[in-house]
Amino acid sequence: MTEVSSLTGRLLVATPALADPNFDRAVVLLLDHDEEGSLGVVLNRPTPVGVADILAPWAALAGEPGVVFQGGPVSLDSALGVAVVPGGLSGEGGIPSVDSSALPHDDGVEVAGAPAADRAGVQSGDEPLGWRRVHGAIGLVDLEAPPELLAAVLGSLRIFAGYAGWGPGQLEDELVEGAWYVVESEPGDVSSPDPEQLWRAVLRRQRNELAMVATYPDDPSLN
């Protein structure tokens, strides 16, 4: 297989041509991307379910709106925590793929934990316990850890039910087909207080022709 240039930490922004209703106007943060496949979470699909209803200990740290987001169509009974830890974290790093079959259970909700070494109290570089960097200041939270470990350092936290996954080469094929725009992420994307407008906001900030796509009507017949 040809070498795959990692897009970990980038955003996939659905093009108007993408017909899959699971990803209509979706903004996906890629948490892992390599030759073995890709995994990410949709940032702009809030649900009516409050974080307090399924992960009460983390509710106080979750940003507004304080609800669970549908991260994608895969493993909707699993929960992932993505958080920003601002300041003092430089460089980029990948994370191991999340195997939903290996996730532990907590009150009927599977929660994604940090690597075993982190859970045992070993930190990776300057990363705080219970958090593992994905890209820059964005990282995954060990939802099995005591929230108090991270309360003082978290800039924002979002809880996702499920995730989006692609097999080897599948995302690359979709990129060739024109299903996604690939753009840089910003820490604020994870905790946007107006997630329904995130698709347009991400496109609007691009310094090229993509900024014009933000004006594309929800109903293409109006174009």
Side-chain angles (χ1 to χ4, degrees):
M1 179 180 292
T2 58
E3 182 177 352
V4 173
S5 178
S6 179
L7 300 177
T8 298
R10 302 278 189 89
L11 295 180
L12 299 178
V13 182
T15 70
L18 183 56
D20 187 341
N22 287 313
F23 297 109
D24 181 47
R25 300 296 193 273
V27 178
V28 179
L29 173 66
L30 280 176
L31 300 174
D32 195 27
H33 175 245
D34 56 25
E35 292 88 348
E36 297 181 0
S38 308
L39 181 149
V41 288
V42 179
L43 298 179
N44 55 338
R45 292 283 194 276
T47 75
V49 180
V51 174
D53 295 331
I54 64 166
L55 289 171
W58 291 97
L61 298 180
E64 293 296 329
V67 298
V68 176
F69 281 61
Q70 183 174 333
V74 183
S75 295
L76 290 173
D77 59 347
S78 68
L80 288 171
V82 179
V84 172
V85 173
L89 291 170
S90 60
E92 300 176 8
I95 59 167
S97 296
V98 178
D99 179 0
S100 61
S101 65
L103 297 177
H105 294 262
D106 180 21
D107 297 330
V109 178
E110 295 178 352
V111 296
D118 287 351
R119 291 200 299 269
V122 178
Q123 292 176 266
S124 301
D126 294 328
E127 298 171 6
L129 280 172
W131 181 88
R132 183 175 180 84
R133 181 170 58 229
V134 171
H135 176 85
I138 301 171
L140 278 175
V141 172
D142 180 359
L143 295 175
E144 288 193 305
E148 294 78 14
L149 279 179
L150 292 168
V153 297
L154 285 190
S156 61
L157 168 69
R158 190 138 282 173
I159 303 296
F160 298 90
Y163 58 88
W166 293 264
Q170 186 179 0
L171 178 57
E172 286 71 26
D173 290 343
E174 293 185 10
L175 292 176
V176 171
E177 294 166 0
W180 302 98
Y181 304 121
V182 179
V183 303
E184 295 294 334
S185 63
E186 296 182 359
D189 296 332
V190 174
S191 57
S192 172
D194 192 8
E196 289 86 353
Q197 296 300 315
L198 187 61
W199 185 81
R200 296 189 188 280
V202 169
L203 289 173
R204 194 176 295 121
R205 75 183 185 222
Q206 304 307 311
R207 297 181 178 179
N208 51 35
E209 64 274 8
L210 291 187
M212 295 298 295
V213 181
T215 65
Y216 197 88
D218 293 332
D219 183 353
S221 66
L222 299 177
N223 192 22

